[in-house]
Amino acid sequence: MTPAYQEFSASLLVAILVGGTPFSALAQTQADLPRLATPQVRPPEPIAAASAHDAAPAAPTSEQPESGKSLLHVSAGLTVDSTYLRAGLMWRVFDATPTAAGTYTLVAQSTDAQATFKLGDGSYMVHIAYGFASAMKQVQITGRTVTERLNLNAGGIEVKGLNGDDPITPDRLSLSIFVPERNNSEAKLVVSGAKPGQIIRLPEGPYHVVSTYLDTVGVGSLTPVTDTNSTVSADLRVQAGKLIEATVRHRTAVLTLKLVNAAGGEALANTSFTILTPGGDIIRELIGAFPSLVLAEGDYLVIARHNGRTFQSEFKVQSNLDRDVEVIAQSQP
């Protein structure tokens, strides 16, 4: 069997629901949005389903503008034909004339789903952010009410995790999403540290998803360790207005290392362990009487050092088979 640390033996199952889950039928409770021109590399908050009666857009406010100002009504959709988005938006309006320093002055902002701004005559840039998707449009205010709708051309990804056939709790996985380029699947990191079950909103296009199984069990590591050697990756394409549901399947187990004088004997304290691949690559270094760690399915070599002597043993990891690995404190023939 090819070890999991040399080749991804897990599969990523992608299911686009029949007709695609309408992404505009989802509403976000709290936004975690990128700043203009400086997007934050972090996952958005989960999105909760909206009720059917929210589908119709609210009518523009009848509010009267202040003297010398006009009203700008703005709304957004994931596609040209989709319904209006109803939550999770950040609107920013900038003066379209740059300053002497070459920057643009922020004149108004709102988190309303369909926002209304009071603006004096002039040219403005309207920017909308929805998760990691955004759009911008220049508008001209000339003494009359203006209504604009922006198209984000975006969709979403929701990832769930399995260890073998068992569900993985969100705290055990970390997801990274990249925009690939030719010959480089991880060319541009756009999302880091996302969790399963979150709906991550992204512009339409291809993405490379990497799922890393986290070691929250590990005891005795010489350095703080959270990542394991179990990673699964796959390429996905986000479609505008659609939610892609994907399942990543890891194959790992929890191993407890022991140096013993005889099989089933008491573990010897003050022992250091080094875990290697059959090719000699170091996976982890630990110390203690019985340190524990999570490893991907495959073949390994463990070297134990105690009182100036060195012992070694080979062992195999099988998915979801948690067990002790004993190294017998006897010199090799």
Side-chain angles (χ1 to χ4, degrees):
M1 175 181 177
T2 303
Y5 42 75
Q6 293 181 340
E7 178 179 311
F8 294 126
S9 59
S11 61
L12 189 147
L13 310 174
V14 179
I16 301 176
L17 303 184
V18 177
T21 299
F23 199 54
S24 56
L26 303 170
Q28 185 188 26
T29 56
Q30 181 180 356
D32 185 3
L33 304 169
R35 297 176 182 272
L36 182 67
T38 56
Q40 300 296 314
V41 183
R42 61 189 185 211
E45 294 292 325
I47 297 177
S51 57
H53 66 75
D54 290 331
T61 177
S62 59
E63 179 182 4
Q64 296 300 313
E66 300 174 9
S67 177
K69 293 189 176 183
S70 301
L71 296 180
L72 170 64
H73 301 299
V74 290
S75 60
L78 290 172
T79 65
V80 173
D81 300 324
S82 68
T83 58
Y84 292 77
L85 291 169
R86 297 176 300 282
L89 304 174
M90 170 58 79
W91 294 97
R92 294 184 178 90
V93 180
F94 297 85
D95 190 323
T97 303
T99 65
T103 60
Y104 294 87
T105 302
L106 177 67
V107 297
Q109 61 183 359
S110 174
T111 57
D112 292 342
Q114 296 167 63
T116 297
F117 301 102
K118 300 176 183 179
L119 301 170
D121 288 354
S123 182
Y124 298 90
M125 293 188 299
V126 180
H127 180 269
I128 173 66
Y130 184 67
F132 295 96
S134 64
M136 183 179 289
K137 187 172 186 178
Q138 187 165 341
V139 298
Q140 196 74 26
I141 304 298
T142 56
R144 60 182 178 82
T145 297
V146 176
T147 300
E148 294 284 355
R149 173 187 161 113
L150 277 68
N151 174 31
L152 286 159
N153 197 36
I157 295 174
E158 181 180 13
V159 178
K160 298 178 181 179
L162 296 176
N163 186 28
D165 294 324
D166 296 336
I168 301 174
T169 59
D171 64 314
R172 301 303 299 271
L173 288 186
S174 178
L175 304 171
S176 298
I177 301 177
F178 301 83
V179 174
E181 293 179 357
R182 181 177 298 180
N183 301 323
N184 184 3
S185 61
E186 300 181 4
K188 181 182 179 182
L189 177 67
V190 292
V191 181
S192 176
K195 293 297 181 183
Q198 291 179 322
I199 294 177
I200 303 168
R201 299 155 298 171
L202 296 162
E204 184 176 51
Y207 294 91
H208 182 73
V209 180
V210 177
S211 172
T212 302
Y213 197 93
L214 301 179
D215 189 351
T216 60
V217 177
V219 176
S221 293
L222 295 181
T223 56
V225 175
T226 56
D227 295 355
T228 70
N229 67 325
S230 179
T231 59
V232 179
S233 66
D235 296 320
L236 301 175
R237 174 171 287 276
V238 171
Q239 300 181 43
K242 303 292 179 66
L243 172 64
I244 294 179
E245 294 183 330
T247 298
V248 292
R249 190 183 301 272
H250 289 260
R251 298 187 182 277
T252 72
V254 178
L255 287 305
T256 299
L257 308 176
K258 296 180 179 180
L259 177 65
V260 296
N261 288 316
E266 184 177 350
L268 301 178
N270 301 318
T271 302
S272 63
F273 297 89
T274 302
I275 307 297
L276 305 97
T277 69
D281 297 326
I282 295 177
I283 299 295
R284 188 76 58 82
E285 293 182 317
L286 308 99
I287 190 169
F290 34 82
S292 298
L293 76 163
V294 174
L295 288 173
E297 192 173 67
D299 297 317
Y300 297 89
L301 173 69
V302 55
I303 297 175
R305 298 176 179 86
H306 179 77
N307 288 341
R309 301 178 66 193
T310 300
F311 313 94
Q312 69 180 45
S313 178
E314 296 178 351
F315 66 97
K316 180 183 291 290
V317 175
Q318 294 178 276
S319 180
N320 277 329
L321 182 59
D322 301 343
R323 65 185 184 91
D324 293 345
V325 175
E326 292 185 342
V327 182
I328 308 300
Q330 294 179 0
S331 300
Q332 300 295 318

